[in-house]
């Protein structure tokens, strides 16, 4: 099958990560979690004391850091320089900081090149917020996954497990605030690309969504 770029956008908890990984595995593609890149910058900004609205400081930070996603033993790892920060970027503090810094032009500009470079060889499933609208407007296949806030919050709460420091209501509130930030920002807001296939995953199983996307892709590629 011809290699293409597949984009999967949508709000937090819509199932993007799990579905993108499974879909990429099934078609033998690489998978890129672009949210992790924003989390990496948030991590460095918090570490170095750069405020989320300090555009000059964020630009300087982006010029100094080296954030990248690499495949290690078939798992995707986030590196900042030589530091593997994959397992420490999912805290509530970094989550909200990632949403805040992602609204700043210097951060989006820096990551635009990083992401486009990863798509050059095609054969990649990119997951994020603006993959189909801004980063890869020419992508051959675009999906937008959504689900009700209640369902998305519950999924995230279950995912956090017993060790969660947040109640279900707190997870839901944080998700709502983050979605509002992500949807209302001026640059690259979260929204479906005009030619994206929108899938509401509220009442669907993970396998059901993966099957649906896979069948759609195969049919489209055969017809092209
Ligand atoms: O997917 P995630 O929850 O790990 O993303 C964290 C934040 O990063 C999210 O709230 C918005 C931002 N983000 C973005 O602006 N554009 C992307 N392509 C991916 C994530």
């Amino acid at each position: 099958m011809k290699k293409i770029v597949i984009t999967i956008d949508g709000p937090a908890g819509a199932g993007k990560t799990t579905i993108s990984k499974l879909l990429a595995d099934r078609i033998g593609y690489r998978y890129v979690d672009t949210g992790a890149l924003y989390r990496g910058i948030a991590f460095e900004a918090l570490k170095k004391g750069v405020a989320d609205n300090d555009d000059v400081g964020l630009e300087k930070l982006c010029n100094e850091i080296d954030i990248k996603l690499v495949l290690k033993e078939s798992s995707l790892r986030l590196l900042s320089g030589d530091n593997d920060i994959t397992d420490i970027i999912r805290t509530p503090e970094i989550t909200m900081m990632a949403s805040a810094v992602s609204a700043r032009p210097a951060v989006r500009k820096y990551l635009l090149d990083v992401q486009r470079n990863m798509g050059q060889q095609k054969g990649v499933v990119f997951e994020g917020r603006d993959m189909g609208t801004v980063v890869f407007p020419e992508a051959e296949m675009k999906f937008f996954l959504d689900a009700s806030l209640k369902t998305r919050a519950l999924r995230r709460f279950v995912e956090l497990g017993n060790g969660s420091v947040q109640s279900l209501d707190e997870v839901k509130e944080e998700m709502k605030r983050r979605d509002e930030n992500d949807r209302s920002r001026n640059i690259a807001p979260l929204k479906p690309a005009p030619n994206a296939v929108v899938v509401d995953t509220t009442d669907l199983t993970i396998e059901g969504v993966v099957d649906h996307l896979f069948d759609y892709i195969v049919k489209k590629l055969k017809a092209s």
Side-chain angles (χ1 to χ4, degrees), residues 30-179:
R30 283 175 297 135
Y31 151 74
V32 175
D33 167 10
T34 62
L37 297 168
Y38 288 90
R39 286 171 184 271
I41 293 183
F43 170 83
E44 288 297 338
L46 285 169
K47 196 170 92 182
K48 301 205 165 83
V50 180
D52 60 20
N53 59 357
D54 175 3
D55 286 324
V56 175
L58 285 170
E59 188 172 2
K60 187 163 171 278
L61 181 77
C62 288
N63 287 331
E64 287 166 4
I65 56 178
D66 177 24
I67 298 278
K68 52 182 176 291
L69 281 165
V70 294
L71 206 57
K72 262 198 215 161
E73 289 151 17
S74 69
S75 120
L76 196 65
R77 310 296 301 178
L78 182 71
L79 301 187
S80 179
D82 293 332
N83 261 349
D84 187 327
I85 56 171
T86 318
D87 300 325
I88 49 174
I89 54 163
R90 306 269 155 202
T91 62
E93 190 190 17
I94 293 180
T95 300
M96 290 315 287
M97 185 67 169
S99 180
V101 298
S102 74
R104 314 310 298 191
V107 172
R108 296 213 81 83
K109 186 167 173 280
Y110 169 72
L111 287 183
L112 192 61
D113 290 342
V114 173
Q115 295 167 111
R116 283 192 177 151
N117 285 338
M118 285 190 287
Q120 265 172 4
Q121 285 157 4
K122 307 253 179 163
V124 195
V125 177
F126 281 96
E127 173 224 323
R129 302 291 188 286
D130 63 335
M131 294 296 103
T133 49
V134 174
V135 183
F136 298 107
E138 310 296 333
E140 291 87 343
M141 211 80 71
K142 300 178 185 179
F143 297 99
F144 189 91
L145 302 186
D146 210 343
S148 70
L149 175 65
K150 193 172 153 209
T151 301
R152 292 187 291 113
L154 190 60
R155 284 178 187 162
R156 183 53 50 86
F157 185 66
V158 170
E159 197 178 276
L160 291 170
N162 290 337
S164 172
V165 290
Q166 293 175 299
S167 67
L168 175 59
D169 277 348
E170 283 168 341
V171 171
K172 193 169 159 194
E173 260 321 294
E174 183 192 274
M175 203 168 246
K176 193 167 162 231
R177 260 196 303 139
R178 193 147 72 96
D179 283 349

